[in-house]
Amino acid sequence: MGPVTRVGVTVTFLRMDQAPADYAPGLASGFQIVRAQAPTVPFYRYLYNTVGADYLWWLRRTTPDDHLASMLRDRAVAIYTLYAAGEPAGFFELDAHTWPDVNLSYFGLMPGMIGHGTGYAFLSAAVDEVWRHGATGMTVNTCTADHPRALPNYLRVGFQIARQVREIWAVPNHLNMRIPSSLKL
């Protein structure tokens, strides 16, 4: 694996056991969410690496292409891309391996989309997608490396905190990730 940087994060695990009762806001005009029918590894890596670059999303960067391709072909995994004016603006990944619970494995916006009021509506659309298919529970986790509005938005959309855990990550240096000094051990 080579040299690593040790990072300390607090991971918050959240759960939702019923669809939100409140009306979810719709996306603004010009936005569209499209489910990828057969996403390629390069397209997925583009979404994952770009959305997660500032938030220390590193695990899938170390996943071999053949394993990632297998995951992307798995019918229990769904990738949805948010488009704005024809360009990717964000994505979310749903994992239904524990059906009727569904995990929101990844969720985020492209850097240029953050701070424009799109995140909550996009998150609400992800939640609505899960409940629309008849799930009975939904999970997600976030950590202190994520955007500071991630946890408040998850709570706002209806998730409740199940538990928090302190984790130490060994982030491979060869990934050249930007690691905030506040997270380094």
Side-chain angles (χ1 to χ4, degrees), residues 30-80:
F31 287 93
Q32 179 184 18
I33 299 172
V34 177
R35 180 176 178 177
Q37 297 305 309
T40 64
V41 169
F43 181 68
Y44 181 85
R45 287 200 187 281
Y46 163 72
L47 294 172
Y48 180 91
N49 293 349
T50 305
V51 168
D54 291 334
Y55 309 109
L56 208 53
W57 290 11
W58 65 276
L59 285 173
R60 294 272 171 86
R61 290 173 185 249
T62 63
T63 303
D65 283 353
D66 59 334
H67 290 120
L68 200 52
S70 177
M71 186 267 310
L72 293 170
R73 286 190 306 268
D74 189 329
R75 293 177 51 116
V77 175
I79 309 300
Y80 293 80

Side-chain angles (χ1 to χ4, degrees), residues 44-131:
Y44 181 85
R45 287 200 187 281
Y46 163 72
L47 294 172
Y48 180 91
N49 293 349
T50 305
V51 168
D54 291 334
Y55 309 109
L56 208 53
W57 290 11
W58 65 276
L59 285 173
R60 294 272 171 86
R61 290 173 185 249
T62 63
T63 303
D65 283 353
D66 59 334
H67 290 120
L68 200 52
S70 177
M71 186 267 310
L72 293 170
R73 286 190 306 268
D74 189 329
R75 293 177 51 116
V77 175
I79 309 300
Y80 293 80
T81 306
L82 175 68
Y83 288 91
E87 291 187 14
F91 88 105
F92 64 86
E93 177 181 325
L94 299 175
D95 182 341
H97 280 103
T98 57
W99 183 262
D101 277 0
V102 176
N103 185 54
L104 178 58
S105 302
Y106 290 98
F107 172 88
L109 295 171
M110 294 292 183
M113 295 305 301
I114 295 171
H116 299 284
T118 304
Y120 180 68
F122 185 42
L123 177 59
S124 294
V127 169
D128 289 348
E129 181 66 15
V130 169
W131 293 107

Side-chain angles (χ1 to χ4, degrees), residues 10-15 57 103-107 139-143 146 150-151 154 159 163 167 169:
T10 299
V11 180
T12 301
F13 295 86
L14 301 108
R15 181 165 183 84
W57 290 11
N103 185 54
L104 178 58
S105 302
Y106 290 98
F107 172 88
T139 57
V140 68
N141 67 65
T142 187
C143 73
D146 284 337
L151 180 56
Y154 289 133
F159 284 97
R163 64 189 169 100
E167 292 184 0
W169 297 345

